[in-house]
Amino acid sequence: MLYGDKRYLLGRRDGGSDGLLFLGRYLALDGSSGSPVFLDVLKPHAILICGKRGYGKSYTMGTIIEEFARLPAGIRNNFSVIVVDTMGIFTCMGSPNLAEKKYLESEGLSPEGLNIKIFAPGIHTGRYDDVDALTFKIPSSSLSPYDYCELLGVDPLSPHGAVLAGAICSRNKFSIEDLIAEINSSDATDDVRSSLNGLLTMISAWDIFSADADYSQIMEPGSVNIIDLSGYGHEPGIKSCIVASLSRALYDIRVEARRKENTGYRRTPLVWMFIDEAHMFMDTGAGNVLINEWLRQGRQPGLSLVLATQRPSALGRDVLSQADMIICHRLTLRDDIEALEKARPSYVKEPVNEALSRLGAIRGAAVIVDDTTESYHVVKVRPRVSLHGGGEPIVRNVD
């Protein structure tokens, strides 16, 4: 790669050449590209990527994912990368980015399909033309009574909520069919039993719950795992429950693993979880887990979180204040700019709107605020080596 002598290193104060992801190049005032910019992965990080549609938010997330897949095996095998793909735009990373071949060559790169694993609910695994998707399920017992009430639209304090909670708490391990049987044998009224039966039958048809499911397949060292939830586009509640279950389980796995690592070597990989369209989860049970466990406590057990959103103002102050790095592409909505301005650290003297004005309309350009080095930079993200699925469709004349 054509890096030269000078470089910028984000997320790390000391030097070294191991565990670096090539993010892009410093963007000069005249629009030209300068020295390379790298991101540290030897330590856990919480990163927020934001920007309005079409200016590189998902592209940048994909670039970071690519860099994990391209790390030397000795470093890569310390990690498991898990991507919660809400729109199905990362599933094509197994194909090379031939459209930007010349641009890639200018960076000493070439189009490359990556070794990724795609997971989807059983009813959606047959939708991929050239990829054998693996079946993704969540343990039915991994959700709390409150999670189920949120999913089913049931008031936890209502008779329906009380009967549902009683059925869930009666067993340590269960399937949705077990819950239905438990409710049918309860002393609930016919109306409550009938309503809950219908709701539970509905979510059983989503083919996402299993009494025997676990997350061992996505915890293989060195793996890049894309969990495609785009098939649930009309059921945002199930996406929230999946993220809540997954994030809780991974937190528990890494907390237990960290205890063992204090007296031995690492058997369970560190986790980097990427969540696109993160704003849709913040006011749900999933948001509580991500904020309270991952953002506030995730460093010690070795959990890193990368959130991407078009609406940073919808994330809440907790997310903005807990992120140790913010990668901000072009924004124009006043609420979003003001939210970032309120979270602006003291070492960034330039107001957010002025910093963003330096980006102009350049796609892929971003202002990066790095808490570790207490610095900020204007960067042009490097071209993708794998195919980007987030571009807009183009109308062509077919005559």
Side-chain angles (χ1 to χ4, degrees):
M1 296 182 188
L2 311 176
Y3 293 150
D5 296 329
K6 185 174 175 56
R7 69 178 186 183
Y8 293 91
L9 179 53
L10 306 175
R12 187 193 302 176
R13 284 190 174 275
D14 54 349
S17 57
D18 289 335
L20 298 182
L21 309 185
F22 176 40
L23 187 60
R25 291 188 177 273
Y26 201 85
L27 186 64
L29 291 174
D30 62 359
S32 61
S33 296
S35 300
V37 178
F38 295 88
L39 172 63
D40 162 74
V41 295
L42 295 186
K43 295 180 180 179
H45 294 285
I47 300 174
L48 170 62
I49 305 173
C50 55
K52 66 183 297 184
R53 186 179 67 181
Y55 280 87
K57 165 184 58 70
S58 299
Y59 194 98
T60 296
M61 179 176 274
T63 297
I64 298 174
I65 296 167
E66 283 183 354
E67 285 292 304
F68 271 101
R70 302 174 69 247
L71 282 170
I75 299 293
R76 187 179 68 250
N77 288 338
N78 283 278
F79 305 105
S80 171
V81 173
I82 299 167
V83 183
V84 178
D85 188 357
T86 57
M87 299 294 291
I89 64 176
F90 298 102
T91 58
C92 58
M93 295 181 72
S95 301
N97 180 16
L98 300 175
E100 295 187 286
K101 183 178 180 180
K102 290 185 178 180
Y103 186 11
L104 284 163
E105 289 173 348
S106 69
E107 288 288 359
L109 300 169
S110 58
E112 176 185 354
L114 303 180
N115 182 19
I116 61 173
K117 294 190 297 180
I118 297 176
F119 292 84
I123 57 175
H124 299 148
T125 53
R127 64 196 303 196
Y128 308 96
D129 295 331
D130 53 356
V131 177
D132 292 327
L134 302 170
T135 299
F136 179 77
K137 291 184 180 293
I138 65 175
S140 309
S141 54
S142 66
L143 299 179
S144 71
Y146 284 100
D147 291 326
Y148 274 104
C149 286
E150 178 185 300
L151 177 61
L152 299 177
V154 171
D155 181 352
L157 301 180
S158 69
H160 293 75
V163 171
L164 180 60
I168 292 169
C169 295
S170 67
R171 302 176 182 227
N172 291 326
K173 186 177 181 180
F174 56 82
S175 66
I176 300 299
E177 289 70 28
D178 291 333
L179 285 184
I180 293 174
E182 187 73 27
I183 290 169
N184 284 336
S185 65
S186 71
D187 58 0
T189 65
D190 291 342
D191 177 61
V192 169
R193 284 200 299 268
S194 176
S195 296
L196 290 177
N197 279 346
L199 292 171
L200 289 170
T201 300
M202 175 189 69
I203 67 172
S204 178
W206 290 344
D207 198 19
I208 191 68
F209 295 100
S210 171
D212 301 314
D214 62 39
Y215 295 118
S216 58
Q217 280 188 297
I218 63 174
M219 288 297 286
E220 293 182 3
S223 62
V224 176
N225 308 276
I226 313 295
I227 302 174
D228 183 8
L229 303 183
S230 60
Y232 293 126
H234 300 294
E235 293 97 6
I238 187 58
K239 294 182 182 179
S240 171
C241 283
I242 290 170
V243 173
S245 170
L246 181 63
S247 54
R248 277 197 201 102
L250 295 178
Y251 179 85
D252 292 342
I253 289 169
R254 277 303 309 162
V255 167
E256 180 61 27
R258 192 71 183 95
R259 294 193 189 100
K260 298 176 180 178
E261 289 169 3
N262 289 331
T263 58
Y265 65 91
R266 179 171 298 128
R267 297 175 182 270
T268 304
L270 305 174
V271 176
W272 276 70
M273 185 160 66
F274 295 74
I275 302 178
D276 198 16
E277 304 297 337
H279 56 270
M280 71 171 61
F281 301 109
M282 288 303 119
D283 291 330
T284 68
N288 291 333
V289 181
L290 294 173
I291 293 171
N292 295 322
E293 297 182 1
W294 281 69
L295 289 175
R296 290 179 176 159
Q297 305 176 59
R299 284 179 174 272
Q300 197 279 335
L303 298 169
S304 296
L305 184 63
V306 182
L307 303 174
T309 182
Q310 299 176 34
R311 299 171 51 206
S313 60
L315 296 180
R317 185 167 179 78
D318 281 339
V319 175
L320 294 174
S321 63
Q322 293 293 331
D324 62 87
M325 188 178 302
I326 296 177
I327 302 175
C328 185
H329 294 279
R330 181 174 171 82
L331 285 172
T332 54
L333 285 180
R334 181 177 300 169
D335 287 350
D336 293 329
I337 294 173
E338 288 179 351
L340 291 174
E341 180 63 32
K342 291 178 181 178
R344 176 166 59 97
S346 59
Y347 55 81
V348 178
K349 305 302 181 183
E350 188 176 21
V352 170
N353 61 335
E354 292 182 14
L356 291 176
S357 68
R358 295 168 57 190
L359 303 179
I362 301 175
R363 296 190 178 216
V367 173
I368 301 181
V369 179
D370 176 23
D371 235 15
T372 304
T373 60
E374 295 190 352
S375 62
Y376 81 108
H377 312 271
V378 179
V379 173
K380 177 69 165 65
V381 175
R382 72 153 175 82
R384 290 272 300 273
V385 300
S386 68
L387 188 60
H388 174 51
E392 299 173 344
I394 298 174
V395 175
R396 302 183 186 278
N397 190 336
V398 294
D399 289 342

